[in-house]
Amino acid sequence: MRTGQVSVVPSSVIASVSSYEDAHRTVGYLRSYGMDAASLEVVGAGLRRAERQRAIPVARLTGAGALQGALLGVLAAIFVTLVAQTTLTGLAVVVWGVVYGALIGGLWGLFKGLVRNRPDAVSIEIVPTRYEVRCPPDELSVARTLLADAADIDDGRVEREVIADAPQHEPKPRTEKDAA
């Protein structure tokens, strides 16, 4: 969500979990009991900045490039043997296609590895430390009742830690003035 953008659904936290998969499982659990998926949100909370240097070994990138190049060389050689008239046999054309493809692919992988593994090539990411499952305030009691059901928690579909203690805000009571 962009800075200054308001959530489409005014929501209350019903669960706070450490991984996105747990939050997704919680949403799936609530949906299996009939809650509307459009009213449920998974929001990343507790954001932190993470700097990572993507260090992939140059030898691995060179080998992968050589393998990809060899495969492309085989395909090109098969095409040449089917279309062009050469003085070489079909097997010789395929062998040379593999050799040239592996050389070009290996060089491509080597240069890619040298560029990618520069000391100044650090990726900066903003990652959440936890995920919150939210729902509209008018569905809060239903969601909490579903998550508090001990039989479903004990069968492993939802962990007991996902149940939040208190909503962030209560819904405003509706008046006759609002209905008009």
Side-chain angles (χ1 to χ4, degrees), residues 85-110:
Q85 291 182 3
T86 64
T87 58
L88 299 173
T89 64
L91 181 62
V93 172
V94 171
V95 168
W96 281 112
V98 168
V99 169
Y100 284 127
L103 283 172
I104 292 172
L107 287 173
W108 182 261
L110 174 69

Side-chain angles (χ1 to χ4, degrees), residues 27-159:
V27 169
Y29 172 78
L30 293 171
R31 286 186 60 208
S32 70
Y33 280 97
M35 288 193 72
D36 184 22
S39 68
L40 297 170
E41 295 179 325
V42 176
V43 179
L47 301 178
R48 66 179 174 85
R49 180 179 170 183
E51 294 181 7
R52 296 183 187 159
Q53 184 173 3
R54 296 182 186 165
I56 300 172
V58 176
R60 177 183 285 172
L61 287 173
T62 303
L67 182 63
Q68 291 172 351
L71 291 175
L72 285 174
V74 166
L75 292 176
I78 290 172
F79 178 74
V80 166
T81 57
L82 294 175
V83 175
Q85 291 182 3
T86 64
T87 58
L88 299 173
T89 64
L91 181 62
V93 172
V94 171
V95 168
W96 281 112
V98 168
V99 169
Y100 284 127
L103 283 172
I104 292 172
L107 287 173
W108 182 261
L110 174 69
F111 292 135
K112 191 162 92 173
L114 292 175
V115 168
R116 181 177 284 182
N117 291 329
R118 291 176 296 157
D120 60 338
V122 175
S123 67
I124 298 173
E125 300 174 344
I126 305 295
V127 294
T129 57
R130 68 182 190 286
Y131 294 89
E132 295 176 346
V133 179
R134 298 175 177 226
C135 74
D138 56 338
E139 296 180 8
L140 182 63
S141 62
V142 173
R144 286 189 178 214
T145 303
L146 289 173
L147 289 177
D149 187 10
D152 290 331
I153 291 172
D154 291 338
D155 83 7
R157 292 173 66 184
V158 178
E159 297 175 18

